Amino acid sequence: MKTTRTPALRVRDGLSVRLDPRALAVVALLVAAALAASILLIGTGDFSIPAGDVLRTLAGYGDPRQEFIVTELRLPRVLVGLLVGASLGLGGALFQSISRNPLGSPDVLGLGQGSTAGALVVIVLFSGSATEVALGALAGGLATGLAIYLLAWKQGVHGYRLVLVGIGVSAVVTAANGYLLTKADIVDAARAVVWMTGSLGGRDWDQVWPLLVLCAALLPLVLGNARGLRMTEMGDDVSYALGVRVERVRLLLMVSAVMLTAGATAAAGPVGFVALTAPQLARRLTRAPGPNLVPSMVMGATLLIVADWASQRAFGADQLPVGVVTGVLGGLYLLWLLVTERRAGRI
């Protein structure tokens, strides 16, 4: 019987990296799509700029007006979109792999609601600045992630228990968020609702750098534990037999996923369903086993940028927040996923 081997690239003695040609092709196409959508998004707005002029301006050959619009107003927004989408896609892939459940995403587990709670506390109780709101969202996401982990722990964290605990925590935090809104004055309530929608409008370099540093710090940690994560998908007993320190890997990657999700929410608000859909779409395109971390990350960035560009093209600049677009599309995808899982007898 003829067998097909996955090509391996030898990095140094004793270490090799397996290459999946289809996965590499998917990643390359997604990167190209994300870059093309980014160029189009930079040129979209009340003052349209052709794609060629955008490229010339990015290369340093634009006129002063285009330089200001591109580099100061629109480029930071696009970079925040790419980083937020990548963070959500990677965080969603980690949670779905750890829980071994396609519903195990930050949207379902309540991490977005936890970050929203932290932001609402700062807005409603302290009328905090944008930076303080971001810090509050980050703290709320981390606290919610810790609560879910502790409540789901019982000789380890496993599958449906993590999802069910997350759904319960999400319901409690959502109720708390509603209570906070009822206690806010009209100005703070309006500000909170705008933030809760999830938007890339008004984003500048102050949101780019912290999220870029967070992604740069966590990405090597996540990819360095990718092999252990893939082993855990075969079951804890098999993983232990292969020398994987299961709970250590799971805890490190859960903390990383929580920080990625909380950081993305702090930068752009709770943009819904990117973390749920990106890993599933990436898996279907690559047809590769395992968590598909890099394809999920690139898919998340592409989804968010394309959604933002589509909303601006259809409704005008900043008329429809990107969180509304991803929420509608992601909600439809979630319904389809639930029907598919039910027909397969998995739920």
Side-chain angles (χ1 to χ4, degrees):
M1 182 177 63
K2 183 178 179 180
T3 59
T4 303
R5 291 181 176 272
T6 302
L9 173 65
R10 184 165 296 280
V11 179
R12 65 173 187 265
D13 292 341
L15 176 63
S16 62
V17 178
R18 294 195 176 278
L19 302 178
D20 186 327
R22 182 183 178 91
L24 288 175
V26 168
V27 169
L29 289 174
L30 287 174
V31 168
L35 292 176
S38 297
I39 297 299
L40 293 175
L41 181 56
I42 291 174
T44 301
D46 294 331
F47 181 81
S48 285
I49 303 176
D53 290 344
V54 171
L55 292 173
R56 280 192 291 272
T57 302
L58 291 174
Y61 299 105
D63 61 49
R65 182 175 55 176
Q66 291 176 341
E67 286 277 359
F68 175 76
I69 292 174
V70 170
T71 60
E72 296 299 325
L73 299 181
R74 296 181 183 173
L75 180 59
R77 175 194 180 116
V78 169
L79 292 177
V80 169
L82 291 171
L83 290 170
V84 167
S87 299
L88 293 175
L90 182 57
L94 289 171
F95 271 114
Q96 290 178 24
S97 181
I98 290 170
S99 64
R100 304 171 202 165
N101 190 320
L103 296 178
S105 81
D107 306 291
V108 178
L109 298 180
L111 293 175
Q113 291 86 340
S115 295
T116 301
L120 285 178
V121 168
V122 174
I123 293 173
V124 174
L125 300 183
F126 303 104
S127 297
S129 64
T131 301
E132 291 168 340
V133 170
L135 292 175
L138 184 61
L142 293 175
T144 305
L146 177 62
I148 293 171
Y149 183 83
L150 293 177
L151 291 172
W153 172 269
K154 185 179 179 181
Q155 297 179 344
V157 176
H158 303 285
Y160 281 101
R161 185 164 67 244
L162 179 66
V163 175
L164 291 174
V165 169
I167 292 173
V169 170
S170 175
V172 172
V173 176
T174 299
N177 291 343
Y179 173 77
L180 287 170
L181 284 175
T182 64
K183 292 298 181 181
D185 60 45
I186 188 65
V187 175
D188 287 338
R191 180 186 173 198
V193 169
V194 170
W195 187 88
M196 290 169 62
T197 305
S199 173
L200 297 177
R203 297 308 184 263
D204 57 26
W205 292 104
D206 289 338
Q207 283 83 41
V208 173
W209 298 119
L211 190 54
L212 181 61
V213 170
L214 181 67
C215 292
L218 293 178
L219 186 58
L221 176 64
V222 170
L223 296 181
N225 287 276
R227 178 184 175 276
L229 179 63
R230 183 169 181 174
M231 294 297 103
T232 62
E233 291 187 343
M234 297 188 295
D236 289 0
D237 293 338
V238 175
S239 302
Y240 281 121
L242 293 173
V244 178
R245 300 172 64 181
V246 175
E247 287 307 322
R248 178 180 177 274
V249 169
R250 191 174 284 142
L251 178 60
L252 279 174
L253 294 181
M254 278 193 66
V255 170
S256 299
V258 169
M259 293 186 68
L260 286 166
T261 304
T265 305
V271 179
F273 290 108
V274 173
L276 174 70
T277 57
Q280 294 299 312
L281 293 175
R283 185 186 294 269
R284 282 166 171 75
L285 287 176
T286 62
R287 298 179 187 173
N292 283 273
L293 297 180
V294 174
S296 299
M297 180 175 65
V298 181
M299 175 63 78
T302 305
L303 281 178
L304 192 55
I305 289 298
V306 170
D308 194 36
W309 173 78
S311 69
Q312 290 205 42
R313 291 291 297 176
F315 297 94
D318 295 326
Q319 295 300 308
L320 184 67
V322 69
V324 176
V325 179
T326 60
V328 170
L329 297 178
L332 294 174
Y333 179 81
L334 177 59
L335 291 174
W336 175 84
L337 182 62
L338 289 171
V339 171
T340 302
E341 292 290 302
R342 184 174 182 273
R343 287 179 176 174
R346 289 190 284 266
I347 59 174

